[in-house]
Amino acid sequence: MSETDVEKDYSVADFAAKLRRLADALESGKPFRIQVAGERFTVPKNARISVEHERGEDEEEVEFQLKWAVADAAEEPEDDDEV
């Protein structure tokens, strides 16, 4: 498998809706299925979650990260979300 790094801009409403669906899945202990750049994958319910803040001279960035072992993503969720 090759490494992929994809970034996409969203409207505030679309971003909030995606975060809300992810938060609902995590709170209910369910995996979250999403598609990025044509590749569909599952974020398992036990994914590690972190928030990173970076500050440069001209800009700042907040990054929300979810990490998991590939083997943990075997359970299939009910819904998909396309990015």
Side-chain angles (χ1 to χ4, degrees):
M1 179 181 354
S2 64
E3 289 189 27
T4 305
D5 190 3
V6 176
E7 185 173 327
K8 182 171 175 148
D9 293 329
Y10 289 97
S11 69
V12 171
D14 287 345
F15 184 67
K18 290 181 186 314
L19 285 177
R20 191 170 294 112
R21 199 166 85 65
L22 172 61
D24 289 347
L26 292 171
E27 282 186 329
S28 64
K30 296 179 181 176
F32 178 75
R33 190 134 171 101
I34 189 168
Q35 182 172 321
V36 177
E39 183 177 345
R40 184 168 280 127
F41 59 93
T42 300
V43 178
K45 59 186 175 187
N46 63 341
R48 292 176 314 226
I49 302 166
S50 64
V51 179
E52 179 180 330
H53 172 250
E54 295 180 21
R55 180 177 293 146
E57 287 186 31
D58 298 332
E59 64 183 14
E60 293 189 52
E61 177 180 328
V62 173
E63 188 173 296
F64 298 89
Q65 294 184 345
L66 293 95
K67 294 182 183 182
W68 62 92
V70 175
D72 290 341
E75 184 180 356
E76 293 294 320
E78 297 174 7
D79 298 323
D80 281 5
D81 184 24
E82 187 171 331
V83 174

